[in-house]
PDB file of all heavy atoms in Angstrom:
ATOM      1  N   LEU A 101     115.566  50.030  77.503  1.00 79.00           N
ATOM      2  CA  LEU A 101     115.863  50.731  78.758  1.00 79.00           C
ATOM      3  C   LEU A 101     114.973  50.239  79.878  1.00 79.00           C
ATOM      4  O   LEU A 101     113.795  49.932  79.685  1.00 79.00           O
ATOM      5  CB  LEU A 101     115.640  52.245  78.588  1.00 79.00           C
ATOM      6  CG  LEU A 101     116.529  52.951  77.563  1.00 79.00           C
ATOM      7  CD1 LEU A 101     116.115  54.405  77.463  1.00 79.00           C
ATOM      8  CD2 LEU A 101     117.991  52.823  77.963  1.00 79.00           C
ATOM      9  N   ILE A 102     115.555  50.147  81.032  1.00 79.00           N
ATOM     10  CA  ILE A 102     114.775  49.827  82.230  1.00 79.00           C
ATOM     11  C   ILE A 102     114.124  51.097  82.779  1.00 79.00           C
ATOM     12  O   ILE A 102     112.980  51.125  83.206  1.00 79.00           O
ATOM     13  CB  ILE A 102     115.665  49.177  83.302  1.00 79.00           C
ATOM     14  CG1 ILE A 102     116.200  47.840  82.783  1.00 79.00           C
ATOM     15  CG2 ILE A 102     114.894  48.987  84.600  1.00 79.00           C
ATOM     16  CD1 ILE A 102     117.153  47.171  83.733  1.00 79.00           C
ATOM     17  N   GLY A 103     114.848  52.266  82.764  1.00 79.00           N
ATOM     18  CA  GLY A 103     114.341  53.539  83.279  1.00 79.00           C
ATOM     19  C   GLY A 103     113.667  54.375  82.206  1.00 79.00           C
ATOM     20  O   GLY A 103     113.557  53.979  81.042  1.00 79.00           O
ATOM     21  N   THR A 104     113.210  55.582  82.613  1.00 81.00           N
ATOM     22  CA  THR A 104     112.574  56.529  81.687  1.00 81.00           C
ATOM     23  C   THR A 104     113.631  57.151  80.794  1.00 81.00           C
ATOM     24  O   THR A 104     114.718  57.496  81.262  1.00 81.00           O
ATOM     25  CB  THR A 104     111.858  57.636  82.490  1.00 81.00           C
ATOM     26  OG1 THR A 104     110.905  57.026  83.358  1.00 81.00           O
ATOM     27  CG2 THR A 104     111.144  58.613  81.563  1.00 81.00           C
ATOM     28  N   PRO A 105     113.329  57.326  79.507  1.00 82.00           N
ATOM     29  CA  PRO A 105     114.314  57.953  78.612  1.00 82.00           C
ATOM     30  C   PRO A 105     114.711  59.338  79.119  1.00 82.00           C
ATOM     31  O   PRO A 105     113.868  60.107  79.584  1.00 82.00           O
ATOM     32  CB  PRO A 105     113.569  58.044  77.274  1.00 82.00           C
ATOM     33  CG  PRO A 105     112.546  56.963  77.350  1.00 82.00           C
ATOM     34  CD  PRO A 105     112.135  56.869  78.789  1.00 82.00           C
ATOM     35  N   ASN A 106     115.975  59.664  79.058  1.00 81.00           N
ATOM     36  CA  ASN A 106     116.486  60.936  79.577  1.00 81.00           C
ATOM     37  C   ASN A 106     116.017  62.102  78.719  1.00 81.00           C
ATOM     38  O   ASN A 106     116.222  62.125  77.507  1.00 81.00           O
ATOM     39  CB  ASN A 106     118.013  60.891  79.607  1.00 81.00           C
ATOM     40  CG  ASN A 106     118.597  62.204  80.116  1.00 81.00           C
ATOM     41  OD1 ASN A 106     117.923  62.952  80.801  1.00 81.00           O
ATOM     42  ND2 ASN A 106     119.838  62.464  79.785  1.00 81.00           N
ATOM     43  N   ALA A 107     115.330  63.119  79.373  1.00 79.00           N
ATOM     44  CA  ALA A 107     114.882  64.329  78.663  1.00 79.00           C
ATOM     45  C   ALA A 107     115.671  65.536  79.127  1.00 79.00           C
ATOM     46  O   ALA A 107     115.258  66.670  78.922  1.00 79.00           O
ATOM     47  CB  ALA A 107     113.389  64.548  78.912  1.00 79.00           C
ATOM     48  N   GLY A 108     116.753  65.350  79.798  1.00 86.00           N
ATOM     49  CA  GLY A 108     117.549  66.455  80.317  1.00 86.00           C
ATOM     50  C   GLY A 108     117.502  66.499  81.838  1.00 86.00           C
ATOM     51  O   GLY A 108     116.794  65.731  82.484  1.00 86.00           O
ATOM     52  N   ILE A 109     118.216  67.463  82.406  1.00 88.00           N
ATOM     53  CA  ILE A 109     118.256  67.573  83.863  1.00 88.00           C
ATOM     54  C   ILE A 109     116.961  68.208  84.352  1.00 88.00           C
ATOM     55  O   ILE A 109     116.251  68.873  83.588  1.00 88.00           O
ATOM     56  CB  ILE A 109     119.459  68.417  84.316  1.00 88.00           C
ATOM     57  CG1 ILE A 109     119.331  69.849  83.791  1.00 88.00           C
ATOM     58  CG2 ILE A 109     120.762  67.788  83.853  1.00 88.00           C
ATOM     59  CD1 ILE A 109     120.384  70.778  84.358  1.00 88.00           C
ATOM     60  N   PRO A 110     116.598  68.055  85.635  1.00 86.00           N
ATOM     61  CA  PRO A 110     115.391  68.703  86.168  1.00 86.00           C
ATOM     62  C   PRO A 110     115.439  70.222  85.957  1.00 86.00           C
ATOM     63  O   PRO A 110     116.472  70.857  86.157  1.00 86.00           O
ATOM     64  CB  PRO A 110     115.435  68.353  87.658  1.00 86.00           C
ATOM     65  CG  PRO A 110     116.212  67.083  87.728  1.00 86.00           C
ATOM     66  CD  PRO A 110     117.242  67.201  86.646  1.00 86.00           C
ATOM     67  N   ALA A 111     114.305  70.797  85.524  1.00 86.00           N
ATOM     68  CA  ALA A 111     114.264  72.216  85.169  1.00 86.00           C
ATOM     69  C   ALA A 111     114.618  73.121  86.340  1.00 86.00           C
ATOM     70  O   ALA A 111     115.215  74.180  86.163  1.00 86.00           O
ATOM     71  CB  ALA A 111     112.876  72.567  84.626  1.00 86.00           C
ATOM     72  N   TYR A 112     114.258  72.700  87.561  1.00 84.00           N
ATOM     73  CA  TYR A 112     114.504  73.579  88.703  1.00 84.00           C
ATOM     74  C   TYR A 112     115.996  73.787  88.958  1.00 84.00           C
ATOM     75  O   TYR A 112     116.392  74.772  89.582  1.00 84.00           O
ATOM     76  CB  TYR A 112     113.820  73.034  89.960  1.00 84.00           C
ATOM     77  CG  TYR A 112     114.423  71.772  90.528  1.00 84.00           C
ATOM     78  CD1 TYR A 112     115.499  71.816  91.419  1.00 84.00           C
ATOM     79  CD2 TYR A 112     113.896  70.526  90.190  1.00 84.00           C
ATOM     80  CE1 TYR A 112     116.044  70.651  91.945  1.00 84.00           C
ATOM     81  CE2 TYR A 112     114.439  69.358  90.702  1.00 84.00           C
ATOM     82  CZ  TYR A 112     115.506  69.427  91.578  1.00 84.00           C
ATOM     83  OH  TYR A 112     116.040  68.283  92.094  1.00 84.00           O
ATOM     84  N   LEU A 113     116.838  72.843  88.423  1.00 88.00           N
ATOM     85  CA  LEU A 113     118.275  73.003  88.627  1.00 88.00           C
ATOM     86  C   LEU A 113     118.840  74.148  87.803  1.00 88.00           C
ATOM     87  O   LEU A 113     119.937  74.645  88.076  1.00 88.00           O
ATOM     88  CB  LEU A 113     118.996  71.694  88.274  1.00 88.00           C
ATOM     89  CG  LEU A 113     118.707  70.514  89.210  1.00 88.00           C
ATOM     90  CD1 LEU A 113     119.420  69.263  88.719  1.00 88.00           C
ATOM     91  CD2 LEU A 113     119.124  70.836  90.646  1.00 88.00           C
ATOM     92  N   THR A 114     118.106  74.574  86.782  1.00 88.00           N
ATOM     93  CA  THR A 114     118.561  75.708  85.967  1.00 88.00           C
ATOM     94  C   THR A 114     117.639  76.917  86.121  1.00 88.00           C
ATOM     95  O   THR A 114     117.613  77.812  85.282  1.00 88.00           O
ATOM     96  CB  THR A 114     118.625  75.317  84.482  1.00 88.00           C
ATOM     97  OG1 THR A 114     117.337  74.846  84.066  1.00 88.00           O
ATOM     98  CG2 THR A 114     119.671  74.241  84.252  1.00 88.00           C
ATOM     99  N   THR A 115     116.815  76.929  87.205  1.00 89.00           N
ATOM    100  CA  THR A 115     115.913  78.058  87.475  1.00 89.00           C
ATOM    101  C   THR A 115     116.541  78.976  88.513  1.00 89.00           C
ATOM    102  O   THR A 115     116.931  78.528  89.596  1.00 89.00           O
ATOM    103  CB  THR A 115     114.549  77.561  87.993  1.00 89.00           C
ATOM    104  OG1 THR A 115     113.941  76.715  87.006  1.00 89.00           O
ATOM    105  CG2 THR A 115     113.628  78.744  88.281  1.00 89.00           C
ATOM    106  N   TYR A 116     116.615  80.260  88.186  1.00 89.00           N
ATOM    107  CA  TYR A 116     117.143  81.259  89.116  1.00 89.00           C
ATOM    108  C   TYR A 116     115.978  81.905  89.857  1.00 89.00           C
ATOM    109  O   TYR A 116     115.013  82.374  89.248  1.00 89.00           O
ATOM    110  CB  TYR A 116     117.925  82.332  88.363  1.00 89.00           C
ATOM    111  CG  TYR A 116     118.305  83.523  89.220  1.00 89.00           C
ATOM    112  CD1 TYR A 116     119.316  83.425  90.175  1.00 89.00           C
ATOM    113  CD2 TYR A 116     117.635  84.729  89.076  1.00 89.00           C
ATOM    114  CE1 TYR A 116     119.661  84.513  90.953  1.00 89.00           C
ATOM    115  CE2 TYR A 116     117.977  85.825  89.853  1.00 89.00           C
ATOM    116  CZ  TYR A 116     118.991  85.710  90.794  1.00 89.00           C
ATOM    117  OH  TYR A 116     119.329  86.786  91.581  1.00 89.00           O
ATOM    118  N   VAL A 117     116.035  81.932  91.175  1.00 87.00           N
ATOM    119  CA  VAL A 117     115.020  82.578  92.008  1.00 87.00           C
ATOM    120  C   VAL A 117     115.612  83.852  92.575  1.00 87.00           C
ATOM    121  O   VAL A 117     116.542  83.817  93.392  1.00 87.00           O
ATOM    122  CB  VAL A 117     114.547  81.652  93.154  1.00 87.00           C
ATOM    123  CG1 VAL A 117     113.496  82.376  94.007  1.00 87.00           C
ATOM    124  CG2 VAL A 117     113.969  80.362  92.590  1.00 87.00           C
ATOM    125  N   ASP A 118     115.089  84.981  92.129  1.00 89.00           N
ATOM    126  CA  ASP A 118     115.575  86.277  92.602  1.00 89.00           C
ATOM    127  C   ASP A 118     115.147  86.460  94.056  1.00 89.00           C
ATOM    128  O   ASP A 118     113.961  86.342  94.383  1.00 89.00           O
ATOM    129  CB  ASP A 118     114.987  87.397  91.742  1.00 89.00           C
ATOM    130  CG  ASP A 118     115.709  88.723  91.948  1.00 89.00           C
ATOM    131  OD1 ASP A 118     116.092  89.015  93.096  1.00 89.00           O
ATOM    132  OD2 ASP A 118     115.882  89.463  90.970  1.00 89.00           O
ATOM    133  N   PRO A 119     116.074  86.755  94.954  1.00 87.00           N
ATOM    134  CA  PRO A 119     115.710  86.884  96.381  1.00 87.00           C
ATOM    135  C   PRO A 119     114.884  88.127  96.690  1.00 87.00           C
ATOM    136  O   PRO A 119     114.269  88.212  97.756  1.00 87.00           O
ATOM    137  CB  PRO A 119     117.077  86.945  97.082  1.00 87.00           C
ATOM    138  CG  PRO A 119     118.020  87.449  96.036  1.00 87.00           C
ATOM    139  CD  PRO A 119     117.515  86.888  94.747  1.00 87.00           C
ATOM    140  N   LYS A 120     114.826  89.086  95.782  1.00 89.00           N
ATOM    141  CA  LYS A 120     114.052  90.301  96.031  1.00 89.00           C
ATOM    142  C   LYS A 120     112.565  90.014  95.842  1.00 89.00           C
ATOM    143  O   LYS A 120     112.141  89.510  94.811  1.00 89.00           O
ATOM    144  CB  LYS A 120     114.486  91.426  95.089  1.00 89.00           C
ATOM    145  CG  LYS A 120     113.726  92.727  95.295  1.00 89.00           C
ATOM    146  CD  LYS A 120     114.238  93.820  94.383  1.00 89.00           C
ATOM    147  CE  LYS A 120     113.433  95.106  94.542  1.00 89.00           C
ATOM    148  NZ  LYS A 120     113.458  95.629  95.912  1.00 89.00           N
ATOM    149  N   VAL A 121     111.763  90.348  96.859  1.00 88.00           N
ATOM    150  CA  VAL A 121     110.316  90.149  96.796  1.00 88.00           C
ATOM    151  C   VAL A 121     109.679  91.395  96.181  1.00 88.00           C
ATOM    152  O   VAL A 121     109.871  92.504  96.676  1.00 88.00           O
ATOM    153  CB  VAL A 121     109.729  89.889  98.204  1.00 88.00           C
ATOM    154  CG1 VAL A 121     108.217  89.736  98.124  1.00 88.00           C
ATOM    155  CG2 VAL A 121     110.356  88.646  98.814  1.00 88.00           C
ATOM    156  N   ILE A 122     108.929  91.231  95.115  1.00 90.00           N
ATOM    157  CA  ILE A 122     108.262  92.339  94.446  1.00 90.00           C
ATOM    158  C   ILE A 122     106.861  92.486  95.030  1.00 90.00           C
ATOM    159  O   ILE A 122     106.009  91.609  94.865  1.00 90.00           O
ATOM    160  CB  ILE A 122     108.177  92.110  92.928  1.00 90.00           C
ATOM    161  CG1 ILE A 122     109.559  91.780  92.342  1.00 90.00           C
ATOM    162  CG2 ILE A 122     107.573  93.326  92.244  1.00 90.00           C
ATOM    163  CD1 ILE A 122     110.598  92.863  92.575  1.00 90.00           C
ATOM    164  N   GLU A 123     106.628  93.584  95.731  1.00 89.00           N
ATOM    165  CA  GLU A 123     105.327  93.816  96.342  1.00 89.00           C
ATOM    166  C   GLU A 123     104.333  94.283  95.278  1.00 89.00           C
ATOM    167  O   GLU A 123     104.649  95.105  94.419  1.00 89.00           O
ATOM    168  CB  GLU A 123     105.429  94.891  97.435  1.00 89.00           C
ATOM    169  CG  GLU A 123     106.478  94.599  98.519  1.00 89.00           C
ATOM    170  CD  GLU A 123     106.066  93.472  99.441  1.00 89.00           C
ATOM    171  OE1 GLU A 123     104.917  92.999  99.321  1.00 89.00           O
ATOM    172  OE2 GLU A 123     106.882  93.066 100.288  1.00 89.00           O
TER     173      GLU A 123
END
Side-chain angles (χ1 to χ4, degrees):
L101 298 176
I102 296 176
T104 302
N106 179 22
I109 63 172
Y112 70 86
L113 293 177
T114 57
T115 300
Y116 170 74
V117 179
D118 194 322
K120 180 177 177 59
V121 178
I122 308 301
E123 305 288 353

